[in-house]
Amino acid sequence: MNLHEYQAKRTFAKYGVPIPDGDVAYTANEARENAKKLGGKVVVKAQVHIGGRGKAGGVKLANTPEEAAEAAAKILGMDIKGFTVNKVLIDEQSAIDKEIYLAVLIDRAARRSMIMASAAGGMDIEAVAKETPEKIIKVHVDPALGVKGYQSTYIASRMGLPREQWKQFHNIVTNLYASFVNSDASLAEVNPLIVTDDGMLMAVDGKMSIDDNALYRQPELEAMRDLSEEPEAEKQARAAGINFIQLDGNIGCMVNGAGLAMTTMDVVNLFGGSPANFLDIGGGAKAESVATALKLILSDPKVKAVLINIFGGITRGDEVAQGIVDALAMVDTDIPMVVRLAGTNAKEGLAILADAEMETAVTLSDAAQKAVAIAGGAA
Ligand code: GDP
Ligand code: MN
């Protein structure tokens, strides 16, 4: 689950990371009032779950409450990469001398959390990583020790921060790390962490992703979920208890079991195709849940073919086949589908599907190749 900038920054602040004063506004009038309280010189920032708002015109400086109202009027309702802006953050304006990138994230390969920093902050960090990787500094944190002084000193000196700022920097890294660990986050990012004209460090932007599987013990963070920012299909999936993640490809995948679903996606890729989603319908295959899953997959206009891969175990193949046939009666679509069915009662299941004139396959590679051919190669 992703947090908005204002939520992320307030979470960081709870752990002692300095942030500018500010508040959220839903209308231009509220923006004017907020700006008055802050003394007039503010920055008006679109609150949407997507980066690069600055470049898209979603971050504007205002020098009077009136200008803040005008900027808010322009930004509210704006579309930024598919996200509609319905609230803005009004923050006190900062006088920026330097922009630093600082993040805590999980390095899965190293099985550790990692601090990533760069003096080339503010801009697109992916571009920095690609073009000038030597400007990115990485340090792993031992979970039993936390962030040690020598680590933050190493980062600060490599970034060329003057010695007077090392203590501030160390406190910010330590506090950001504490917010990351205690929030069960997978990412806590500050870009930019600024150095002001008078040498103070402050988090001007914030991004935080919380591990969905930990939300049960993070009620305060769970309450920050902004449903308006989530893809409609993912919301419906959560309500139906289906594991569903939308992707960029054109082959819809419906699979029972998370491991098998990942394998299916790999095999689709292997044959030059590109999966449109990850979907695990879980155990059992009642017509209702199959129909819900199909509707979710087909709600994506990019989908050109659907690959159904079912391994019958405790759930019998003929039950699943009947579930699919019944589900198709509930879903109105002409998107071609390929069903691969194996395991318990696969023969009976395949007979039911053949009766319903569905395209079937016995092996996963056969099914994947058929689906890729129908979809016309990779998206
Ligand atoms: P993003 O584009 O979505 O990453 O949004 P940011 O919050 O990072 O803002 C983009 C850029 O706007 C920053 O890199 C800064 O250069 C600038 N900016 C943001 N807040 C302020 C501010 O208070 N004062 C000044 N002068 N610039 C700001
Ligand atoms: Mn930013």
Side-chain angles (χ1 to χ4, degrees), residues 27-29 31 44-46 56-62 66-80 84-88:
T27 63
N29 275 334
V44 181
K45 313 180 76 177
V59 176
K60 291 188 197 302
L61 296 177
E66 208 38 54
E67 279 179 33
E70 281 164 29
K74 280 202 192 106
I75 295 173
L76 287 163
M78 187 184 258
D79 177 282
I80 301 181
T84 306
V85 183
N86 55 36
K87 49 185 166 291
V88 287

Side-chain angles (χ1 to χ4, degrees), residues 53 122 191-192 205:
R53 296 161 302 163
N191 187 27
D205 190 9

Side-chain angles (χ1 to χ4, degrees), residues 70-343:
E70 281 164 29
K74 280 202 192 106
I75 295 173
L76 287 163
M78 187 184 258
D79 177 282
I80 301 181
K81 300 177 195 168
F83 290 85
T84 306
V85 183
N86 55 36
K87 49 185 166 291
V88 287
L89 173 63
I90 313 295
D91 262 0
E92 198 173 0
Q93 221 182 86
S94 321
I96 302 181
D97 177 35
K98 251 189 251 160
E99 301 199 19
I100 292 167
Y101 176 93
L102 176 66
V104 185
L105 61 157
I106 292 170
D107 180 353
R108 290 179 195 281
R111 290 179 276 167
R112 286 270 159 108
S113 22
M114 177 170 83
I115 297 164
M116 204 161 105
S118 176
M123 53 190 120
D124 184 4
I125 197 69
E126 277 85 14
V128 178
K130 207 168 151 209
E131 285 148 31
T132 47
E134 70 281 1
K135 287 191 183 160
I136 296 193
I137 305 151
K138 295 175 180 174
V139 168
H140 290 98
V141 183
D142 184 320
L145 299 179
V147 183
K148 304 306 286 179
Y150 68 86
Q151 295 182 302
S152 57
T153 301
Y154 165 74
I155 299 171
S157 65
R158 266 204 57 191
M159 289 196 303
L161 274 190
R163 190 174 287 268
E164 313 84 82
Q165 290 165 7
W166 289 4
K167 181 78 193 154
Q168 278 188 71
F169 184 72
H170 175 72
N171 288 340
I172 288 175
V173 174
T174 311
N175 296 339
L176 187 68
Y177 178 74
S179 80
F180 169 89
V181 171
N182 291 314
S183 307
D184 289 309
S186 51
L187 173 73
E189 183 188 78
V190 181
N191 187 27
L193 172 70
I194 61 160
V195 183
T196 63
D197 281 354
D198 39 12
M200 300 305 287
L201 272 64
M202 186 159 66
V204 154
D205 190 9
K207 182 176 172 186
M208 207 172 192
S209 306
I210 312 296
D211 185 339
D212 287 330
N213 294 309
L215 286 174
Y216 74 94
R217 62 179 189 190
Q218 298 287 353
E220 269 181 52
L221 295 169
E222 163 98 87
M224 293 182 189
R225 188 190 288 283
D226 184 348
L227 286 173
S228 67
E229 296 288 314
E230 297 190 359
E232 186 54 37
E234 288 185 16
K235 266 185 271 182
Q236 287 175 12
R238 201 171 47 248
I242 295 170
N243 250 319
F244 176 76
I245 294 160
Q246 211 145 31
L247 302 165
D248 295 330
N250 60 10
I251 299 177
C253 299
M254 182 161 82
V255 189
N256 65 333
L260 190 58
M262 287 191 275
T263 307
T264 306
M265 292 162 62
D266 282 350
V267 174
V268 165
N269 273 313
L270 193 66
F271 289 112
S274 168
N277 65 276
F278 167 94
L279 189 151
D280 166 18
I281 51 169
K286 292 267 179 305
E288 296 286 321
S289 52
V290 176
T292 307
L294 263 183
K295 282 183 198 156
L296 289 171
I297 292 171
L298 296 170
S299 67
D300 177 355
K302 295 192 302 298
V303 170
K304 296 286 176 284
V306 176
L307 169 57
I308 303 175
N309 184 20
I310 304 290
F311 193 89
I314 294 167
T315 312
R316 298 189 338 249
D318 52 331
E319 278 176 350
V320 179
Q322 197 54 53
I324 294 170
V325 173
D326 293 346
L328 280 173
M330 300 178 213
V331 184
D332 180 27
T333 179
D334 50 11
I335 300 288
M337 303 191 186
V338 182
V339 189
R340 181 257 181 162
L341 193 59

